[in-house]
Amino acid sequence: MDSVDHQQQQQVEVPPPQPFLKYLKFSLKETFFPDDPLRQFKNKPPSKKFMLAIQYFFPIFQWAPKYTFHFFKADLIAGITIASLAIPQGISYAKLANLPPILGLYSSFIPPLIYAMMGSSRDLAVGTVAVGSLLMGSMLSDEVNPNEDPRLYLHLAFTATLFAGIFQAALGLFRLGLIVDFLSHATIVGFMGGAATVVCLQQLKSILGLVHFTHGADIISVMRSVFTQIDQWRWESSVLGFVFLFFLLITRYFSKKQPRFFWVSAMAPLTSVILGSLLVYFTHAEKHGVEVIGELKKGLNPPSVTELVFVSPYLTTAVKTGIVVGIISLAEGIAVGRSFAMYKNYNTDGNKEMIAIGTMNIVGSFTSCYITTGPFSRSAVNYNAGCKTAASNIIMSIAVMLTLLFLTPLFHYTPLVVLSAIIVSAMLGLIDYQAAIHLWKIDKFDFVVCMSAYIGVVFGSVEIGLVIAVAISVLRVLLFIARPRTFVLGNIPNSGIYRNVEQYPNAKHVPGILILDIDAPIYFANASYLRERITRWIDEEENRIKATGETSLQYVIMDMSGVGNIDTSGISMLEEVKKITERRELQLVLVNPGGEVMKKLNKSKFQNHLGQRWIYLTVEEAVGACNFNLRARTNLKKDESEGWNNV
């Protein structure tokens, strides 16, 4: 009995009672402030707190005082390099959103200045993105035809950008970035790949020189539109498009193989625009079916505050478009920023990024800009160019400003087919088939999520693909919660270690004892499943014992080390399991319930009903106590048998 007394001394403790408000405060802090952003303000004088607050919302005040000429040289080269990419990409992506090309330049001027002041990433290069442009164009076109009413369509784009910015900034201010986390890596890979495929297909209009083209974004509509107009294909446009696409892909391949020549790929889009414009100018190709941009208005961004639309039914469309495009833009911008921060070994603040991206879109909507974020292609060029701080965005912005003031007439003869080639070459990099293969090897369910997003976008629409992907991701979260894994544990020979018998084939069942491991919190969503699964484990163990002729089952040990929390439904489930084991003349034993679990077991009186002696710190202790009782019971029966024989 000494061993049992010793085991009972090592009992699982109930945490001391905690006031509800204190517990609530702790829970909210862990949910919304896991990074504890206020710790830097502790024990600081008011003047220092004010300065820290300014630096928190405007990181430029943090790095600007330490700025050096060495940093400036690096940022100058990076800024000019990304400007050479931003100018042709900006014009191209505006076209993708069914907006005037000049808006792409406007959106590469004001937003980067805002981000340079408020962003926490040193490498993110801000501007318009293909997927966001496509998504905005697709959603707004369902409500207003950009060809029939371009003015209203333009105003709706500004309004949607405003609501995207408000939504993004609100997520950051209220620290609700966990919403963006529902867009898993698999979802983003599939969604981006699908959107990139759709974008490439839609460029067939310019590459083939078609005048009339479908407004549908799905592959079936595009293919039908292409092959029903074979007689309208223009060979001049096609040759020009494929020549420049080949040039862009070759330069990108060369830069990938020779990273020190990154600038070759970065300068290729602007080179294509210059060469294409010169070719059209000298050959008068615009008279032979090659469409050109035409006149671009000279001058800086005109104000657009008075052009925002807040009337029904357009307001609903603007809000819906803003929220959807805002989430996708945030996901891309934050993911890109984190990726490059990891390479350079520094941290970005997700909530700061949301506030910065949201603010630049709010200001952008007032200054004739549409949705912007940090695209991967531009940020990769910025990173490879050796940028040191966010000042590279300021350099890029100045370069775009000079272009708006003096150089826009030079883009008059830029062929649209060159812009299409620039878009296609950029989009091909977003179709990450290697990531999809990796998902297939690692996790088949993630691969299904990825392909569902891809197929939904390509065969349905961008919105449908997004909804399908998010729905499947949420379903997976629910399955994790509602169907937690339970395992049978066995003893590793010659040790006190107990492990999953499926993972460790040499782990042995302990005679007369069933040891179960529950690997998740117990909530209302999974309580019924766990009750049924535990009952089935007991049935299967009894059947196994009958087949092998081992000692009959006497104890059911539940290792609750992985149960972080439990609710009232979970406690009811434990009470039902206790009754089930009692009806079968089995003893329920619990191992290592966590602090929150013990607190609730104590308050619900379940701890008293089960008995403190049946709650242990480790599986080894629980098995030792059960084995001791089994031996004691066997000896008692043996003594009684011998007593009857003597009589």
Side-chain angles (χ1 to χ4, degrees), residues 323-340:
I323 290 174
V324 173
V325 176
I327 289 177
I328 293 298
S329 301
L330 263 189
E332 182 173 357
I334 291 173
V336 170
R338 282 176 180 167
S339 300
F340 290 112

Side-chain angles (χ1 to χ4, degrees), residues 485-490 492 498-505 507:
R485 300 299 301 274
T486 58
F487 309 101
V488 174
L489 302 183
I492 303 291
Y498 294 82
R499 291 291 182 267
N500 179 3
V501 294
E502 291 181 6
Q503 185 180 357
Y504 295 86

Side-chain angles (χ1 to χ4, degrees), residues 199-237:
V199 169
C200 290
L201 290 172
Q202 289 193 330
Q203 301 319 301
L204 290 173
K205 177 189 176 185
S206 295
I207 291 173
L208 297 175
L210 298 174
V211 178
H212 304 290
F213 203 72
T214 179
H215 290 294
D218 61 289
I219 188 171
I220 295 170
S221 300
V222 172
M223 289 295 101
R224 186 187 296 124
S225 188
V226 167
F227 288 106
T228 54
Q229 301 184 74
I230 293 178
D231 57 322
Q232 303 293 320
W233 292 6
R234 306 295 300 233
W235 69 267
E236 301 95 339
S237 185

Side-chain angles (χ1 to χ4, degrees), residues 486-489 500-502 509 513-516 529 531-553 555-556 580 584 586:
T486 58
F487 309 101
V488 174
L489 302 183
N500 179 3
V501 294
E502 291 181 6
H509 291 267
I513 304 172
L514 172 63
I515 310 169
L516 299 177
Y529 166 77
R531 183 190 65 246
E532 292 165 7
R533 192 67 188 89
I534 290 166
T535 305
R536 203 167 97 216
W537 279 124
I538 294 171
D539 291 338
E540 290 173 1
E541 182 67 10
E542 288 181 335
N543 291 336
R544 189 189 68 81
I545 288 171
K546 284 177 186 175
T548 57
E550 294 178 8
T551 308
S552 63
L553 187 61
Y555 295 94
V556 177
I580 290 168
R584 299 187 181 209
L586 305 173

Side-chain angles (χ1 to χ4, degrees), residues 74-91:
D75 288 337
L76 180 66
I77 294 168
I80 292 171
T81 308
I82 55 175
S84 69
L85 181 64
I87 292 165
Q89 273 192 352
I91 295 170

Side-chain angles (χ1 to χ4, degrees), residues 371-386:
I371 194 77
T372 52
T373 186
F376 179 80
S377 58
R378 213 172 296 178
S379 301
V381 169
N382 195 29
Y383 171 81
N384 288 324

Side-chain angles (χ1 to χ4, degrees), residues 288-339:
H288 300 281
V290 177
E291 286 189 77
V292 295
I293 288 179
E295 186 181 353
L296 283 183
K297 194 164 55 175
K298 193 188 282 189
L300 301 181
N301 303 32
S304 55
V305 182
T306 56
E307 297 174 350
L308 301 173
V309 180
F310 298 112
V311 295
S312 183
Y314 304 117
L315 181 62
T316 307
T317 303
V319 171
K320 184 177 73 171
T321 304
I323 290 174
V324 173
V325 176
I327 289 177
I328 293 298
S329 301
L330 263 189
E332 182 173 357
I334 291 173
V336 170
R338 282 176 180 167
S339 300

Side-chain angles (χ1 to χ4, degrees), residues 28 367 433 557 559:
L28 291 174
T367 54
Y433 64 91
I557 297 176
D559 184 358

